[in-house]
Amino acid sequence: MLHVNENYSKIKPTYLFAEIAHRVTAHQKAHPDAKVIRLGIGDVTEPLAPSVIAAMHKAVDDEGGKGDFHGYGPEQGYAFLREKIAKVDFQDRGIDISADEILVSDGAKCDCGNIQELFGADVKIAVGDPVYPVYVDTNVMAGRHDIMLLPCTAENGFVPGPEGCEADIVYLCYPNNPTGAIATKAQLQAWVDWANAKKALILFDAAYEAFIRNPEIPRSIYECAGAKTCAIEIRSFSKTAGFTGIRCGYTVVPNELVAYNADGTPVPLRPMWTRRQTTKFNGASYITQRGAEAIYSPEGQKECKDIIDFYLGNAKLMKDALKTLGYDVTGGDDSPYLWVNVKGDSWEFFDKLLKEANVVTTPGAGFGKAGEGYIRISAFNSRANVLEAIERLKKVL
Ligand code: PLP
């Protein structure tokens, strides 16, 4: 008899975005003339940077025979991209990461989900609550059901510390989705010291690092002393450069990073991740990687920064407006997300904004128990829509 992987039946149903879509559709049906503004989903709205477009056009020509044709590429990513990443994202910032420690992928979601394959079924996992659900669901699918939740609350500034954390692997994400919280160097250093002392691992999701403008806030976990022996960093071009539809990201696995066999023998993780990727993944496309390479040119850097500044401008406008209306708001300064304390039930508040203001947000309860009482507002939208949404919120709240 064919048996299913019963772990799948233990994953919580992902009803959040389906439920939001259901409620929005019902509202639109009842009010066909309503102009609904979507500040719920975390997808970019601005077009790709001109440098990226030009590089991808050129790469299409390469593939069309006007330049060097490329078939299968290296599974770990082309050297031209890995070298630029190592230089611009790390070495130019004084961080000692080399190209061979970087593995390019088709986005951070896959890497966040797949990385757990390197570890034993019995490792203890810890995640924040509220949380980006991929960390939890992929571990549950693999049979790890007993996941420790680290509450992210107003009391701890939405940045839980390592005190009392008994896990072998902790997922940290800063700037955070959904809370928009950022972690200081001291807060991250405490986690690094904890991980090195416990022989534990930090999986650091830096998908939103490009939004950090405060020079005191680390953009990489490797800015902390000792992080190369206890942390993997996962990055995405989705929000950095509008690649949500193009699909590209990368994972850094330092050469010195190890986990252990049952007999205590250290096993380097970089060759394991390389083996995993070369076995199950055939590389991001040449055209995509040429586009990603263009992000690292001086023009590409400026263009991408301008786009992110634009989203941060949206975030600031909304944050200021909500604060003026008397709401406590976290995030939005170095992050595209606002985490708003709605002083009540998050689904009720969601419904109120949908019905009375035609504005879609995301109820915090959908990201975990500790998300109840909050909504997430995304700054990914046009300026006109953001301004219009603010006017509507002012009338309703
Ligand atoms: N990590 C976090 C925290 C995210 O919010 C997202 C996307 O929203 C991802 C990873 C996935 O990024 P990608 O588009 O590169 O798969």
Side-chain angles (χ1 to χ4, degrees):
M1 194 165 52
L2 181 63
H3 284 153
V4 294
N5 176 352
E6 290 188 32
N7 294 315
Y8 275 62
S9 65
K10 306 206 168 81
I11 312 165
K12 286 215 189 92
T14 51
Y15 77 104
L16 175 63
F17 287 102
E19 179 61 26
I20 291 173
H22 171 74
R23 293 190 192 202
V24 173
T25 307
H27 176 72
Q28 280 181 314
K29 227 172 167 183
H31 307 277
D33 296 332
K35 187 190 164 235
V36 171
I37 299 178
R38 291 167 193 273
L39 301 175
I41 200 143
D43 196 359
V44 294
T45 52
E46 291 298 293
L48 292 168
S51 304
V52 171
I53 299 286
M56 291 179 82
H57 276 304
K58 159 90 178 54
V60 170
D61 285 342
D62 289 347
E63 294 299 74
K66 289 189 194 151
D68 282 344
F69 175 79
H70 290 74
Y72 287 127
E75 292 94 337
Q76 305 93 315
Y78 285 100
F80 61 74
L81 177 57
R82 298 166 81 198
E83 280 160 13
K84 297 263 169 33
I85 293 170
K87 180 169 183 321
V88 179
D89 282 349
F90 297 100
Q91 293 159 8
D92 287 355
R93 295 173 182 273
I95 303 168
D96 175 26
I97 292 289
S98 58
D100 66 320
E101 295 171 299
I102 288 160
L103 286 95
V104 174
S105 69
D106 58 355
K109 188 178 195 175
C110 304
D111 287 0
C112 287
N114 293 330
I115 197 87
Q116 51 75 30
E117 287 181 23
L118 305 192
F119 307 102
D122 58 343
V123 297
K124 275 276 294 164
I125 306 292
V127 300
D129 173 15
V131 68
Y132 177 58
V134 175
Y135 315 145
V136 175
D137 291 352
T138 53
N139 277 291
V140 173
M141 286 172 179
R144 301 185 195 99
H145 305 299
D146 183 20
I147 292 175
M148 179 175 183
L149 298 179
L150 308 167
C152 308
T153 60
E155 287 69 43
N156 61 24
F158 304 96
V159 183
E163 308 76 32
C165 182
E166 290 304 324
D168 303 298
I169 296 179
V170 63
Y171 289 74
L172 300 180
C173 172
Y174 296 106
N176 189 266
N177 177 14
T179 68
I182 45 170
T184 64
K185 190 158 184 185
Q187 286 169 322
L188 291 182
Q189 188 66 56
W191 275 109
V192 167
D193 295 344
W194 166 87
N196 276 323
K198 259 190 73 67
K199 294 198 166 122
L201 176 74
I202 297 170
L203 291 175
F204 191 73
D205 183 343
Y208 297 95
E209 59 78 31
F211 288 77
I212 296 175
R213 290 288 176 269
N214 181 341
E216 302 294 314
I217 299 296
R219 292 174 71 156
S220 165
I221 191 74
Y222 303 116
E223 290 181 41
C224 295
K228 286 181 79 181
T229 51
C230 68
I232 287 174
E233 182 161 303
I234 298 172
R235 290 207 185 182
S236 167
F237 295 119
S238 285
K239 314 297 157 75
T240 307
F243 269 46
T244 51
I246 306 293
R247 310 304 308 142
C248 199
Y250 66 87
T251 285
V252 185
V253 187
N255 287 323
E256 46 270 78
L257 191 61
V258 296
Y260 298 87
N261 276 338
D263 65 5
T265 316
V267 182
L269 289 176
R270 193 184 63 80
M272 278 184 79
W273 182 239
T274 305
R275 184 59 204 256
R276 192 270 170 213
Q277 291 297 77
T278 52
T279 302
K280 295 195 180 181
F281 178 58
N282 243 347
S285 81
Y286 171 71
I287 297 166
T288 295
Q289 292 189 63
R290 281 294 186 200
E293 181 193 21
I295 298 166
Y296 292 99
S297 67
E299 311 79 58
Q301 290 276 287
K302 159 119 188 31
E303 290 161 2
C304 291
K305 180 176 175 295
D306 287 349
I307 295 169
I308 290 171
D309 281 343
F310 167 77
Y311 292 129
L312 285 169
N314 284 347
K316 180 169 172 19
L317 286 167
M318 291 192 287
K319 184 168 184 170
D320 288 349
L322 285 159
K323 282 172 90 171
T324 308
L325 291 167
Y327 288 87
D328 283 338
V329 186
T330 303
D333 300 318
D334 295 281
S335 149
Y337 298 123
L338 306 183
W339 190 240
V340 187
N341 183 342
V342 298
K343 303 171 234 170
D345 182 273
S346 61
W347 277 106
E348 268 175 29
F349 198 84
F350 167 88
D351 281 334
K352 180 180 169 67
L353 294 188
L354 177 61
K355 287 184 183 143
E356 297 176 25
N358 293 308
V359 170
V360 183
T361 56
T362 310
F367 296 103
K369 210 163 147 244
E372 183 49 276
Y374 292 84
I375 56 160
R376 188 191 76 174
I377 298 185
S378 153
F380 295 115
N381 217 311
S382 68
R383 184 57 52 84
N385 276 351
V386 164
L387 293 172
E388 169 73 26
I390 288 172
E391 286 314 307
R392 295 187 197 171
L393 294 184
K394 278 186 189 159
K395 284 197 189 112
V396 169
L397 296 176

